[in-house]
Amino acid sequence: MKRLLLALLVALAGALVGAAEAKVYGAKYTIKPEIKEVQAPAKVQLKPGEKKAAVQVTAVITWSGNYPYTIRRTPTTVTFAVDGNVVHTTKITPPYRLGETKTVTATLELTPGKHTITVTARFPDLPQYGIKGGTATKEVTVEVVAPAVKPVHLTGALVKDALLAVPAIAMLDALMGYPITSAIDDALGTDLKGTLQSLLDQLGIREYVEQDVVVGAGLTAALATDLLAGWAMDHKQLVNTLTMLDVGTLLAPVVTLAMYLAGVATLDNVIVDLAEQLGIEGKMVVTTASAAGLAVPVITALVGYLADKGVKQAAQIVAPVVQAMDQLLTTLASPVVKYLGSVSLGTLKL
């Protein structure tokens, strides 16, 4: 009986204490964080060789509400998000009071482009103390500008194309039936067509140039892949792949022509008659030699791609070729760069 009475007394005392606490904490307090400002550079310029910018973002936090005491136990959580993804979280630890300001800083790594930085400050609800928290957000925009690219290799590729243009157009003209030289002859009264045919006869390649697609048009394709390789070297994008594609494109007509001259293949050995397939009259053909020539850029580009993907064996094969092409394009560009003098190639929007 005594134990029962003691238990009742304890329960009654607990209820009275609870009622007293409810009376003390029954009033609702508010503690709401506010972000006074977020400081970050509006624009950041990357230096050559840099792929990301380390951007410092600073937020100034304060609190409003009606809580009359110093906050001694509960931290305020501050997050930094880049384009909606939280990348950094920190806490403002007590003690602090309403109206005080605290500064938090985060260093964020940003890639080239415009980014929205969102800072969020949160104080939690504390119902056991009758406190209602809150959340505040503020955004700023930071633009990271990619490093200026000097198109030295692309300039070298343009010079290289200028040197290749005459033989490339001549071979393409022969493949198409000499429309270009014939038009010039008609306009100027010259005999460029006869001169070109005579030159090809002397070299012993006229028949192959006039009929084989790869021999006749191969150098023309190289004019485009030259530019791709130059762009890749300047921007350091797929350097091995596009450089080896360019090398393979240059080698394709050489391999095809070598097979004819060595007697390995003849124009009679036709796999596909392009003219017939396209519904036009002519003698353009793809032979076994053509197939071998076309395989060259495919293989070289594949090896270059494997090198770009980090395959060591492929990288060892590709490295000296890419280095030689790099030196060639740089050398070809040097007179242009020297001539331009103080004019920065980096100002060209290529």
Side-chain angles (χ1 to χ4, degrees):
M1 187 66 179
K2 291 182 178 180
R3 289 182 179 181
L4 180 59
L5 289 174
L6 182 60
L8 290 173
L9 288 173
V10 170
L12 179 61
L16 291 173
V17 171
E21 288 184 350
K23 184 177 181 180
V24 172
Y25 297 109
K28 294 293 184 180
Y29 297 113
T30 56
I31 302 176
K32 293 185 177 181
E34 296 179 1
I35 303 174
K36 298 182 70 174
E37 63 176 332
V38 176
Q39 301 171 352
K43 183 175 290 188
V44 178
Q45 175 69 59
L46 287 175
K47 297 178 181 179
E50 290 182 336
K51 294 184 178 180
K52 293 183 178 180
V55 178
Q56 183 172 291
V57 181
T58 301
V60 179
I61 311 295
T62 189
W63 296 264
S64 64
N66 63 353
Y67 189 70
Y69 310 112
T70 299
I71 301 165
R72 298 187 179 279
R73 294 185 180 84
T74 307
T76 296
T77 303
V78 182
T79 61
F80 294 79
V82 178
D83 300 327
N85 299 312
V86 175
V87 296
H88 183 79
T89 301
T90 187
K91 292 181 182 296
I92 300 175
T93 55
Y96 52 86
R97 296 177 63 90
L98 302 188
E100 283 190 48
T101 58
K102 297 285 185 178
T103 300
V104 292
T105 301
T107 300
L108 311 179
E109 288 193 344
L110 304 180
T111 56
K114 284 188 177 182
H115 300 281
T116 300
I117 310 300
T118 305
V119 180
T120 302
R122 179 179 179 273
F123 189 90
D125 292 333
L126 301 173
Q128 68 271 34
Y129 300 116
I131 297 174
K132 184 173 179 59
T135 301
T137 61
K138 203 173 189 67
E139 294 182 347
V140 293
T141 300
V142 178
E143 181 180 7
V144 178
V145 182
V149 175
K150 292 184 177 180
V152 174
H153 296 93
L154 186 56
T155 302
L158 289 170
V159 175
K160 184 165 175 276
D161 277 358
L163 299 175
L164 283 176
V166 173
I169 293 173
M171 296 180 74
L172 182 62
D173 186 45
L175 177 67
M176 295 188 301
Y178 303 98
I180 300 173
T181 50
S182 295
I184 295 174
D185 289 342
D186 292 340
L188 303 178
T190 56
D191 188 24
L192 282 178
K193 176 182 176 181
T195 303
L196 177 58
Q197 289 176 329
S198 177
L199 176 61
L200 295 175
D201 282 332
Q202 290 176 13
L203 295 174
I205 60 174
R206 176 177 168 182
E207 184 182 16
Y208 309 126
V209 172
E210 289 179 346
Q211 297 186 59
D212 191 282
V213 173
V214 176
V215 175
L219 285 182
T220 306
L223 300 180
T225 55
D226 275 347
L227 301 180
L228 289 174
W231 178 90
M233 288 184 178
D234 287 331
H235 291 80
K236 295 179 172 51
Q237 299 288 329
L238 293 175
V239 175
N240 296 315
T241 303
L242 295 179
T243 300
M244 293 301 289
L245 173 64
D246 185 34
V247 172
T249 306
L250 288 168
L251 289 176
V254 175
V255 170
T256 304
L257 191 58
M259 292 182 68
Y260 287 133
L261 295 177
V264 177
T266 68
L267 288 169
D268 294 330
N269 187 11
V270 178
I271 296 176
V272 177
D273 187 328
L274 277 190
E276 196 175 302
Q277 293 294 323
L278 296 174
I280 61 176
E281 294 187 11
K283 298 180 180 179
M284 292 186 292
V285 296
V286 175
T287 68
T288 51
S290 301
L294 289 171
V296 173
V298 174
I299 294 171
T300 56
L302 177 59
V303 174
Y305 178 76
L306 293 175
D308 281 326
K309 289 298 182 181
V311 178
K312 292 183 179 179
Q313 294 85 345
Q316 291 173 350
I317 297 171
V318 168
V321 180
V322 174
Q323 184 178 4
M325 182 67 78
D326 184 353
Q327 292 175 348
L328 173 62
L329 296 182
T330 303
T331 301
L332 291 174
S334 59
V336 178
V337 175
K338 185 177 180 180
Y339 176 76
L340 291 176
S342 61
V343 179
S344 173
L345 286 173
T347 61
L348 298 178
K349 301 300 182 180
L350 299 172

